[in-house]
Amino acid sequence: MQNNQSIPINKENFKLIFSKEFILVIVFSIPAAITAEFFNIPLAWFLGPMIITSLMSLFGIKLVMPRLVLSIILILLGLYIGNYIDKNLFSQMHQWIWTSLIMLGYIILSVLLVSKYLEKFSGYGKKTSIFSAAPGALGPLLILAEDEKSDLSQVATSHLIRLIIIITVFPFIVDSFYDQNRIEKINEVLDQNTFDLLILIILSLLIIFIFDKIKVPAALLAGTLVASGLLQITEVASYKLSPGI
C-alpha cells in the first residue's frame, strides 16, 4: 500500500514506529495523561498528551506520529463511537426529532458565524475555520481536518480553548444550580464474544478499503462507523469497547 492510502503498511511507516521522535511522544505522553487523570481533567488521556506534545513542539523538539499508528487508533475510535449505534437508538428517534432539528439549526448557524469571524479576524483558511468553529466532537473533527489537509494546530488550539473554558467554568455553574449527591458508577465486566469483535474489525477493514478506493472523506472513521452500526443494528455482531480504550 502507498503512503496516500488510509492504512499505509510499508517499510517506512514501520521504521517510524521505532524512531526516536515517536518514542519521545510515548515517553512524555503517558505521564502527562496519568497526571491529567490524577487532577480529574476531562478527556485526560487526550488533553494531557496533547498539551505536553504541543509544548515540546513549541520548544523545537522534533516529534512524529506514524500514519500506521494513527490508522490503528482511528479504527479503535470508530469502533468505540459505533458502540452507541443500535436498534434502541433508531426506535427512539421520533421522540426527539424536533430537538434534533433545533440543535442542527443551531450548529449550522454557529459554525457559519464563528467560521466567518475566524476567517476575517484570525486569518484562518476556509476549511480550517469551519473545523475550528464546530461546537464539539474534537476527536472526529481532528480526523476530518487531517483528512481534508487543514491546519491541525489551529483547529486543535481553537477547541482546546473551548475545552479549557468548559472545564474551568461549567463545573462552577452546575454546582451553583444543583445540590445533589455524587453518583458513583459501577463498572461491570461484560461477558462478551471476542468472535464478534473479530467480525467487527474484519468488516471495518473491508469497508475502509472500499471507502478509500471511492474517495470517501475520513475513510478510517466512516468505515468503522458504518461497519459497527450495521452489525449492531442487524444484531449480527456486537462488542462494547471499554471507555479506557
Side-chain angles (χ1 to χ4, degrees):
M1 300 178 95
Q2 296 176 358
N3 285 333
N4 61 346
Q5 293 183 307
S6 293
I7 308 177
I9 302 176
N10 52 50
K11 185 178 178 181
E12 289 73 18
N13 274 281
F14 277 111
K15 285 176 64 178
L16 284 175
I17 295 174
F18 301 99
S19 66
K20 181 182 73 174
E21 291 82 2
F22 180 58
I23 292 172
L24 279 174
V25 171
I26 301 299
V27 168
F28 282 90
S29 293
I30 292 176
I34 294 171
T35 303
E37 188 171 41
F38 177 78
F39 288 105
N40 295 318
I41 296 174
L43 293 174
W45 284 81
F46 186 94
L47 291 180
M50 179 178 168
I51 292 170
I52 193 66
T53 52
S54 297
L55 289 173
M56 291 171 69
S57 296
L58 287 173
F59 281 103
I61 300 173
K62 187 179 179 182
L63 305 174
V64 68
M65 173 58 72
R67 284 193 58 84
L68 184 57
V69 175
L70 179 61
S71 297
I72 295 170
I73 293 170
L74 295 183
I75 290 171
L76 288 173
L77 180 61
L79 288 172
Y80 177 71
I81 297 172
N83 285 345
Y84 298 98
I85 303 174
D86 54 26
K87 277 187 174 180
N88 292 330
L89 179 67
F90 282 89
S91 65
Q92 296 171 10
M93 285 181 67
H94 69 280
Q95 298 177 7
W96 31 267
I97 183 68
W98 293 111
T99 305
S100 299
L101 289 173
I102 292 170
M103 183 172 64
L104 177 62
Y106 157 73
I107 291 173
I108 293 173
L109 181 62
S110 62
V111 168
L112 288 174
L113 292 175
V114 177
S115 63
K116 288 298 180 184
Y117 175 89
L118 292 173
E119 274 189 80
K120 186 173 182 179
F121 297 101
S122 300
Y124 280 27
K126 191 173 184 64
K127 288 183 179 180
T128 302
S129 66
I130 292 173
F131 289 122
S132 301
L138 174 57
L141 282 170
L142 283 175
I143 296 168
L144 291 169
E146 193 271 341
D147 189 72
E148 293 294 328
K149 303 296 184 290
S150 302
D151 190 325
L152 289 182
S153 63
Q154 291 181 331
V155 175
T157 301
S158 299
H159 284 278
L160 183 59
I161 293 170
R162 174 180 60 81
L163 286 170
I164 289 172
I165 293 171
I166 291 172
I167 292 166
T168 55
V169 176
F170 270 35
F172 296 103
I173 296 174
V174 174
D175 287 342
S176 65
F177 282 100
Y178 297 98
D179 183 18
Q180 57 185 5
N181 294 328
R182 186 184 184 90
I183 299 173
E184 298 292 339
K185 288 186 176 180
I186 300 174
N187 294 321
E188 297 181 359
V189 178
L190 301 176
D191 184 17
Q192 300 189 97
N193 190 346
T194 51
F195 183 66
D196 284 0
L197 176 60
L198 185 61
I199 295 173
L200 279 167
I201 293 173
I202 292 172
L203 185 61
S204 295
L205 292 174
L206 177 61
I207 296 179
I208 286 169
F209 178 77
I210 295 170
F211 280 7
D212 200 32
K213 289 295 182 183
I214 62 176
K215 306 300 181 184
V216 173
L220 282 166
L221 185 63
T224 48
L225 280 173
V226 170
S228 184
L230 180 64
L231 290 174
Q232 294 196 87
I233 290 170
T234 57
E235 297 182 347
V236 173
S238 177
Y239 194 94
K240 302 294 182 183
L241 293 181
S242 167
I245 292 294

